[in-house]
Amino acid sequence: MIIVTDMKPGITIGPISEDNASLLLANGNIHLFSTNGKTLVIEEGKEYNLLAENQLKGQLWATPAVYGHSLIIRTKDYNLQDQSPR
């Protein structure tokens, strides 16, 4: 569950499915991960700003790790590394 304060009326953030992974704050963005592989990236701040929505192959059962400028994401079948530009 995500709790947002100072939301404007009419904006709803609902569950993206069952979530086992913790929220992750990296480079000013909040990353959300669901067990079905759906990922959301929202901008940190008082305004809701969805930056990206992705669907990974496989189920995600662990919180991704930050390594330098990379996210290490482990799904049921794959290990992925997403490197951010510096």
Side-chain angles (χ1 to χ4, degrees):
M1 174 186 288
I2 302 170
I3 299 172
V4 180
T5 59
D6 299 329
M7 288 279 293
K8 291 183 179 179
I11 295 177
T12 303
I13 301 175
I16 57 174
S17 81
E18 291 185 27
D19 303 324
N20 287 339
S22 298
L23 299 177
L24 182 65
L25 177 64
N27 295 328
N29 299 321
I30 301 168
H31 300 258
L32 298 92
F33 306 91
S34 70
T35 55
N36 70 0
K38 185 174 182 180
T39 68
L40 298 178
V41 181
I42 58 176
E43 186 175 29
E44 177 187 19
K46 290 186 178 183
E47 300 286 327
Y48 175 72
N49 185 17
L50 178 65
L51 300 175
E53 183 173 336
N54 300 292
Q55 182 65 50
L56 302 175
K57 292 182 181 180
Q59 296 177 329
L60 197 144
W61 290 94
T63 300
V66 177
Y67 179 73
H69 293 276
S70 298
L71 286 180
I72 309 298
I73 302 170
R74 181 174 59 92
T75 67
K76 181 180 175 191
D77 301 315
Y78 302 98
N79 288 321
L80 308 168
Q81 182 174 355
D82 178 26
Q83 188 167 10
S84 300
R86 295 179 191 189

